[in-house]
Amino acid sequence: MSSVNSAHSVVEPGAMSKRIAASIVIAYAVITMIPLVWIFMTSFKSPPDSISYPPKIMFQPTLEGYCNLFTTRTRQTSEYIASLGTPTSTCDETTRSRNMVIAGPSNYWPRFKNSLLIAFGSTFLAVSLGTLAAYGFSRFRVPLADDLLFFILSTRMMPPIAVAIPIYLMYRQLGLSDTALGMILLYTAVNVSLAVWLLKGFIDEIPREYEEAAMIDGYTRMQAFFKVVLPQATTGIAATAIFCLIFAWNEYAFAVLLTSGEAQTAPPFIPTIIGEGGQDWPAVAAATTIFLVPILVFTILLRKQLLRGITFGAVRK
Amino acid sequence: MAEVILKGISKSFGETRAVSNLDLIIADGECVVLLGPTGAGKTTTLRLIAGLERADSGRITIGGYDVAQEAPAGRDVAFVFQQYSLYPHLSVYENLAFPLRSPARRLGKDEIDRRVRDVARMVRIDHKLENRSTRLSGGEMQRVAIGRALVRRPSIFLMDEPLSSLDAKLRAELRLELKRIQKELGATLLYVTHDQIEAMTMADRIGILAEGRLVQIGTPRDIYSNPANTHVAARLGQPHINLIPVDVLPDGRAPAGTRTVGARTEHLEISLGGNANAQIDWVEHLGDQNHLHIRVGDCKLITLANPYLPVKPGDKIGLALKNPLYFGADGNRMY
Ligand SMILES: Nc1ncnc2c1ncn2[C@@H]1O[C@H](COP(=O)(O)OP(=O)(O)OP(=O)(O)O)[C@@H](O)[C@H]1O
Ligand SMILES: [Mg+2]
């Protein structure tokens, strides 16, 4: 049909509207990127540069923020510092130039590892449980299915922090306060409702004939689920996993309330950096920059699954 | 291959009675074709045999075993679906190998490869084995779907309108091919179709379904020439059988109680230049033959005629019955 190629094609937007759409998207992207770029720049500034007014766009980049983030330092007399040998690293050198010496590693790296463990652990659990539950709701006649689904969704209707105090008390009783397990369970509980709903939508889209065919071909329902349903649900699983991960990764309120030591995650730790030795904005910015990396990497890794359509219709209708 | 017996099978979906009290025996190595209008319960019957639906009542035995408690995987049937063809995330080769790789079967890699390639050649898809299954034409997908059933040696093949998405030429080819394969393998085959030519050529016996009931079953010849009622008569024959009130055409032999006369081409005799009781409405030229649309009083009939019959629209002709089929008020055959 010639209409597809004409200026007023039904399927392709015109060049003009494409250009307008593109400029809106670009403008929006730039605006949302500005704070991120600012944080990224600040992380490479020296502390005086970071608070200078007017703000410096051009500056001498330094790794001081990152050094300060990963170390604890003590102030020393210049005689003592002079008596030390040659600096062993760039960090050593920058620290000494501020009349300080490195006393040891900071808590950032352990906190960051806690965040990784808790966020990925709870995402894995929420997505696994969510996939199985969604499959059950999608394929079997579950008694009171609609009510159950509504109930599952209703756990999301209030802000999770509304139940913070009961959970705080419960966790103390159960000995789950300040444990990674406790945080994983908590984030899983919050995320699983979202996972069930999102995934049910995706699994509903997969025709059941695929499983039926597989079951006739000699597979059990469980095997058919893994061989036929899961590969076709990857798009939905990827999207759900990213949502769950972003929530668990960024969660602040529960983390402040329930973790303080061993199991503390990065979000409640980052503000405490400000206190140590004046307002160390570059260290805070460095912490935030590093904190962004896992989500970014995870999203880029799953990009293909996210963008790919679900099945491209091998179903004859 | 095995004998499959359905006894008193019923299945309802809520208010809808999809299959009711169905008795059917498919002998070992036999090809039975189910024919019926849409919604007659054909697909449901196949799904019941495959174990995808549970019968409300009745017994199904495959090879002498009652399969009521068997999951689909345990029933050893192969199914070609009506609405569905292939696993979209697998290549053509993997689609064909999928049933053979089932944990229940444990075939060697070489054995699987050999069978897949054999079948691919059989359904003529061997040049596209590495393609993604979503990058095939409808006809190719359908051939792979048939191939996926044929790689196995199940007790029974269940095929739900497997050729319906193909063009006429390919359909004719594959029809012959399927029949040849079925004979060669001695396969038990239950085949659903809307296409009466497929039914006539493939079937050892044809079963006519209507509203979930098996109305009649018999050899194609038998179903064609001895339909049990008007419904069965209407399913076979091209053009469709003419069902006309008993008093429209002269015929002294109608048994008492006859309400309807069924007249196919072979039951109608056209005479030119005698007593005219009918008129030609129009003539459809099909090439090797013509469809004559004839009007008798208020009744319209369609019949085949050889293309050299010198008639044109408006002509008066004589029309007489010759051993037609007689049906009573309830639609059943009168003898
Ligand atoms: N899962 C189901 N739920 C409810 N009703 C169903 C279901 N499957 C089939 N039916 C009903 O059962 C009846 C028989 O359906 P079936 O699919 O067996 O018809 P069919 O003969 O295969 O028709 P077609 O030629 O259109 O494929 C129909 O009235 C249909 O609406
Ligand atoms: Mg059907």
Side-chain angles (χ1 to χ4, degrees):
Chain A
M1 284 245 278
S2 63
S3 70
V4 174
N5 304 322
S6 76
H8 299 288
S9 157
V10 193
V11 278
E12 274 286 295
M16 190 61 191
S17 43
K18 262 187 185 169
R19 223 167 294 145
I20 294 173
S23 37
I24 292 175
V25 169
I26 289 170
Y28 179 76
V30 167
I31 291 169
T32 51
M33 288 294 282
I34 287 175
L36 291 179
V37 172
W38 193 253
I39 288 172
F40 186 71
M41 275 166 53
T42 306
S43 75
F44 289 102
K45 287 180 178 175
S46 63
D49 279 352
S50 73
I51 49 172
S52 73
Y53 190 86
K56 285 191 178 171
I57 302 291
M58 302 302 290
F59 57 92
Q60 182 67 38
T62 154
L63 285 176
E64 195 175 345
Y66 291 89
C67 291
N68 292 352
L69 174 63
F70 282 103
T71 59
T72 55
R73 301 157 306 280
T74 50
R75 192 162 289 282
Q76 293 291 350
T77 56
S78 35
E79 294 80 42
Y80 174 74
I81 290 171
S83 72
L84 297 170
T86 46
T88 50
S89 65
T90 351
C91 273
D92 221 1
E93 204 179 328
T94 1
T95 314
R96 285 181 199 182
S97 71
R98 303 256 176 237
N99 279 336
M100 292 195 280
V101 291
I102 294 172
S106 77
N107 270 337
Y108 185 66
W109 182 231
R111 300 304 182 247
F112 189 83
K113 280 198 294 195
N114 281 342
S115 264
L116 284 178
L117 172 69
I118 290 168
F120 280 91
S122 70
T123 298
F124 177 78
L125 268 183
V127 171
S128 313
L129 292 174
T131 309
L132 292 174
Y135 181 75
F137 277 118
S138 172
R139 294 299 197 256
F140 299 107
R141 236 173 295 142
V142 179
L144 299 179
D146 289 346
D147 301 299
L148 279 175
L149 278 169
F150 180 78
F151 170 71
I152 290 172
L153 185 66
S154 70
T155 61
R156 260 289 161 105
M157 286 179 182
M158 58 185 174
I161 200 65
V163 290
I165 291 172
I167 286 182
Y168 176 74
L169 297 174
M170 202 165 80
Y171 266 43
R172 255 204 347 210
Q173 284 289 315
L174 294 171
L176 285 171
S177 292
D178 204 20
T179 61
L181 177 67
M183 295 313 284
I184 289 176
L185 290 179
L186 182 67
Y187 291 163
T188 305
V190 175
N191 271 334
V192 86
S193 64
L194 177 78
V196 170
W197 272 81
L198 278 177
L199 284 164
K200 181 172 179 297
F202 280 102
I203 292 178
D204 281 343
E205 293 288 303
I206 303 171
R208 12 171 116 219
E209 276 92 343
Y210 291 120
E211 293 134 84
E212 293 182 338
M215 287 195 281
I216 289 172
D217 282 345
Y219 295 78
T220 64
R221 183 175 277 280
M222 205 60 173
Q223 290 161 342
F225 172 77
F226 283 109
K227 289 250 173 202
V228 179
V229 180
L230 272 194
Q232 292 184 62
T234 45
T235 315
I237 290 174
T240 309
I242 286 177
F243 278 119
C244 291
L245 186 73
I246 289 175
F247 170 82
W249 189 251
N250 292 338
E251 208 285 328
Y252 179 74
F254 277 116
V256 169
L257 195 68
L258 296 175
T259 67
S260 47
E262 281 304 289
Q264 193 183 40
T265 54
F269 176 77
I270 292 174
T272 67
I273 301 169
I274 303 177
E276 294 170 10
Q279 290 178 340
D280 198 350
W281 290 112
V284 173
T288 312
T289 305
I290 294 174
F291 187 66
L292 287 174
V293 171
I295 293 275
L296 210 63
V297 171
F298 193 65
T299 312
I300 290 171
L301 285 181
L302 291 186
R303 193 184 54 211
K304 221 175 106 202
Q305 270 71 31
L306 282 175
L307 290 181
R308 214 187 56 201
I310 312 177
T311 55
F312 288 124
V315 176
R316 172 163 57 93
K317 279 274 159 75
Chain B
M1 296 297 142
E3 182 188 49
V4 175
I5 302 173
L6 283 70
K7 231 175 142 36
I9 293 292
S10 295
K11 174 74 190 175
S12 300
F13 296 103
E15 292 291 288
T16 322
R17 224 163 148 68
V19 172
S20 77
N21 202 19
L22 184 78
D23 289 315
L24 180 62
I25 298 178
I26 305 148
D28 192 359
E30 186 184 29
C31 174
V32 172
V33 172
L34 290 181
L35 204 58
T38 176
K42 307 181 295 292
T43 301
T44 308
T45 306
L46 297 193
R47 291 174 59 88
L48 283 163
I49 297 174
L52 297 174
E53 307 283 356
R54 199 168 283 277
D56 299 334
S57 61
R59 253 166 71 95
I60 300 176
T61 58
I62 298 177
Y65 291 100
D66 188 333
V67 292
Q69 299 307 318
E70 288 287 357
R75 296 197 178 193
D76 193 26
V77 303
F79 203 128
V80 180
F81 284 84
Q82 175 178 16
Q83 295 243 312
Y84 148 89
S85 16
L86 304 174
Y87 304 119
H89 59 294
L90 300 179
S91 71
V92 169
Y93 183 96
E94 288 166 331
N95 261 282
L96 291 173
F98 191 81
L100 301 177
R101 286 183 179 154
S102 118
R105 252 173 281 279
R106 293 177 201 287
L107 290 175
K109 217 171 147 50
D110 297 340
E111 169 73 3
I112 291 177
D113 189 66
R114 195 181 55 74
R115 282 223 222 161
V116 167
R117 287 178 196 285
D118 278 356
V119 160
R121 220 166 298 123
M122 211 187 274
V123 293
R124 278 175 260 156
I125 198 73
D126 42 333
H127 55 297
K128 298 225 163 142
L129 277 177
E130 299 314 321
N131 277 40
R132 271 195 77 107
S133 57
T134 45
R135 304 258 167 82
L136 296 176
S137 74
E140 287 164 341
M141 283 189 193
Q142 205 53 29
R143 275 184 281 162
V144 179
I146 294 170
R148 218 182 54 210
L150 294 178
V151 282
R152 293 172 43 201
R153 300 280 174 273
S155 313
I156 182 167
F157 290 104
L158 304 169
M159 299 196 183
D160 197 353
E161 307 193 28
L163 306 182
S164 60
S165 70
L166 309 182
D167 66 60
K169 181 165 170 288
L170 198 58
R171 194 136 108 188
E173 272 177 39
L174 266 174
R175 191 171 67 214
L176 287 174
E177 194 76 356
L178 263 181
K179 184 65 191 170
R180 185 183 63 71
I181 294 169
Q182 186 255 333
K183 276 215 176 114
E184 224 171 76
L185 302 178
T188 314
L189 171 59
L190 184 57
Y191 188 100
V192 164
T193 181
H194 273 124
D195 183 327
Q196 50 168 308
I197 300 177
E198 255 169 53
M200 294 296 280
T201 53
M202 301 264 315
D204 296 318
R205 286 189 301 153
I206 294 179
I208 306 285
L209 274 183
E211 293 168 357
R213 289 170 199 287
L214 187 64
V215 185
Q216 189 178 0
I217 184 161
T219 62
R221 265 267 51 91
D222 200 31
I223 299 280
Y224 182 82
S225 44
N226 283 312
N229 59 28
T230 50
H231 176 84
V232 176
R235 298 244 63 90
L236 292 181
Q238 190 62 27
H240 271 262
I241 191 166
N242 299 293
L243 294 168
I244 53 177
V246 66
D247 49 6
V248 170
L249 284 174
D251 177 49
R253 270 173 295 182
T258 300
R259 178 71 62 87
T260 312
V261 172
R264 294 200 175 102
T265 298
E266 61 268 30
H267 303 132
L268 290 170
E269 214 160 34
I270 297 173
S271 52
L272 302 178
N275 265 349
N277 60 346
Q279 181 183 343
I280 307 272
D281 261 356
W282 81 88
V283 180
E284 273 180 306
H285 298 281
L286 303 182
D288 57 338
Q289 45 195 203
N290 286 348
H291 273 175
L292 301 186
H293 293 249
I294 302 171
R295 180 197 296 278
V296 186
D298 288 336
C299 272
K300 289 179 177 174
L301 289 82
I302 304 173
T303 183
L304 276 180
N306 90 54
Y308 304 108
L309 191 72
V311 289
K312 58 183 188 305
D315 282 1
K316 303 274 189 207
I317 56 165
L319 195 62
L321 291 171
K322 190 176 69 182
N323 298 323
L325 308 167
Y326 302 110
F327 300 97
D330 54 0
N332 284 339
R333 185 83 179 281
M334 311 280 297
Y335 294 94

PDB file of all heavy atoms in Angstrom, chain A residues 148 161 180 197 234 308 316:
ATOM      1  N   LEU A 148      -7.889 -11.839  46.669  1.00  0.00           N
ATOM      2  CA  LEU A 148      -6.494 -12.002  47.069  1.00  0.00           C
ATOM      3  C   LEU A 148      -5.606 -10.992  46.361  1.00  0.00           C
ATOM      4  O   LEU A 148      -4.745 -10.364  46.969  1.00  0.00           O
ATOM      5  CB  LEU A 148      -6.022 -13.421  46.736  1.00  0.00           C
ATOM      6  CG  LEU A 148      -6.411 -14.490  47.744  1.00  0.00           C
ATOM      7  CD1 LEU A 148      -6.004 -15.863  47.252  1.00  0.00           C
ATOM      8  CD2 LEU A 148      -5.736 -14.204  49.077  1.00  0.00           C
ATOM      9  N   ILE A 161       6.160   3.315  55.340  1.00  0.00           N
ATOM     10  CA  ILE A 161       6.680   3.848  56.601  1.00  0.00           C
ATOM     11  C   ILE A 161       5.573   3.984  57.643  1.00  0.00           C
ATOM     12  O   ILE A 161       5.834   4.087  58.836  1.00  0.00           O
ATOM     13  CB  ILE A 161       7.382   5.201  56.330  1.00  0.00           C
ATOM     14  CG1 ILE A 161       8.345   5.555  57.451  1.00  0.00           C
ATOM     15  CG2 ILE A 161       6.381   6.306  56.100  1.00  0.00           C
ATOM     16  CD1 ILE A 161       9.497   4.607  57.567  1.00  0.00           C
ATOM     17  N   ALA A 180      21.043  -8.098  57.996  1.00  0.00           N
ATOM     18  CA  ALA A 180      20.796  -8.079  56.550  1.00  0.00           C
ATOM     19  C   ALA A 180      19.551  -8.905  56.222  1.00  0.00           C
ATOM     20  O   ALA A 180      18.728  -8.519  55.393  1.00  0.00           O
ATOM     21  CB  ALA A 180      22.011  -8.628  55.797  1.00  0.00           C
ATOM     22  N   TRP A 197       1.757  -8.077  40.679  1.00  0.00           N
ATOM     23  CA  TRP A 197       0.861  -7.394  39.740  1.00  0.00           C
ATOM     24  C   TRP A 197       1.502  -7.170  38.386  1.00  0.00           C
ATOM     25  O   TRP A 197       0.886  -7.407  37.352  1.00  0.00           O
ATOM     26  CB  TRP A 197       0.378  -6.072  40.340  1.00  0.00           C
ATOM     27  CG  TRP A 197      -0.852  -6.293  41.138  1.00  0.00           C
ATOM     28  CD1 TRP A 197      -0.908  -6.758  42.409  1.00  0.00           C
ATOM     29  CD2 TRP A 197      -2.205  -6.111  40.705  1.00  0.00           C
ATOM     30  NE1 TRP A 197      -2.212  -6.874  42.804  1.00  0.00           N
ATOM     31  CE2 TRP A 197      -3.034  -6.484  41.779  1.00  0.00           C
ATOM     32  CE3 TRP A 197      -2.789  -5.667  39.523  1.00  0.00           C
ATOM     33  CZ2 TRP A 197      -4.420  -6.432  41.705  1.00  0.00           C
ATOM     34  CZ3 TRP A 197      -4.171  -5.609  39.447  1.00  0.00           C
ATOM     35  CH2 TRP A 197      -4.966  -5.989  40.526  1.00  0.00           C
ATOM     36  N   THR A 234      10.883 -13.025  30.111  1.00  0.00           N
ATOM     37  CA  THR A 234      12.100 -12.317  30.512  1.00  0.00           C
ATOM     38  C   THR A 234      11.916 -10.804  30.500  1.00  0.00           C
ATOM     39  O   THR A 234      12.427 -10.114  31.377  1.00  0.00           O
ATOM     40  CB  THR A 234      13.294 -12.659  29.603  1.00  0.00           C
ATOM     41  OG1 THR A 234      12.841 -12.612  28.258  1.00  0.00           O
ATOM     42  CG2 THR A 234      13.849 -14.019  29.921  1.00  0.00           C
ATOM     43  N   ARG A 308      13.100  -5.478  24.142  1.00  0.00           N
ATOM     44  CA  ARG A 308      12.576  -6.489  23.237  1.00  0.00           C
ATOM     45  C   ARG A 308      11.085  -6.681  23.464  1.00  0.00           C
ATOM     46  O   ARG A 308      10.632  -6.736  24.586  1.00  0.00           O
ATOM     47  CB  ARG A 308      13.297  -7.814  23.470  1.00  0.00           C
ATOM     48  CG  ARG A 308      13.455  -8.613  22.203  1.00  0.00           C
ATOM     49  CD  ARG A 308      14.015  -9.967  22.551  1.00  0.00           C
ATOM     50  NE  ARG A 308      13.160 -10.624  23.525  1.00  0.00           N
ATOM     51  CZ  ARG A 308      13.570 -11.596  24.304  1.00  0.00           C
ATOM     52  NH1 ARG A 308      14.783 -12.017  24.255  1.00  0.00           N
ATOM     53  NH2 ARG A 308      12.729 -12.157  25.150  1.00  0.00           N
ATOM     54  N   ARG A 316      -0.939 -17.967  15.740  1.00  0.00           N
ATOM     55  CA  ARG A 316      -1.797 -17.746  14.589  1.00  0.00           C
ATOM     56  C   ARG A 316      -3.185 -17.399  15.091  1.00  0.00           C
ATOM     57  O   ARG A 316      -3.788 -18.141  15.848  1.00  0.00           O
ATOM     58  CB  ARG A 316      -1.833 -19.035  13.742  1.00  0.00           C
ATOM     59  CG  ARG A 316      -2.833 -19.001  12.643  1.00  0.00           C
ATOM     60  CD  ARG A 316      -2.509 -20.083  11.637  1.00  0.00           C
ATOM     61  NE  ARG A 316      -2.472 -21.403  12.254  1.00  0.00           N
ATOM     62  CZ  ARG A 316      -3.512 -22.219  12.300  1.00  0.00           C
ATOM     63  NH1 ARG A 316      -4.650 -21.871  11.779  1.00  0.00           N
ATOM     64  NH2 ARG A 316      -3.408 -23.400  12.859  1.00  0.00           N
TER      65      ARG A 316
END
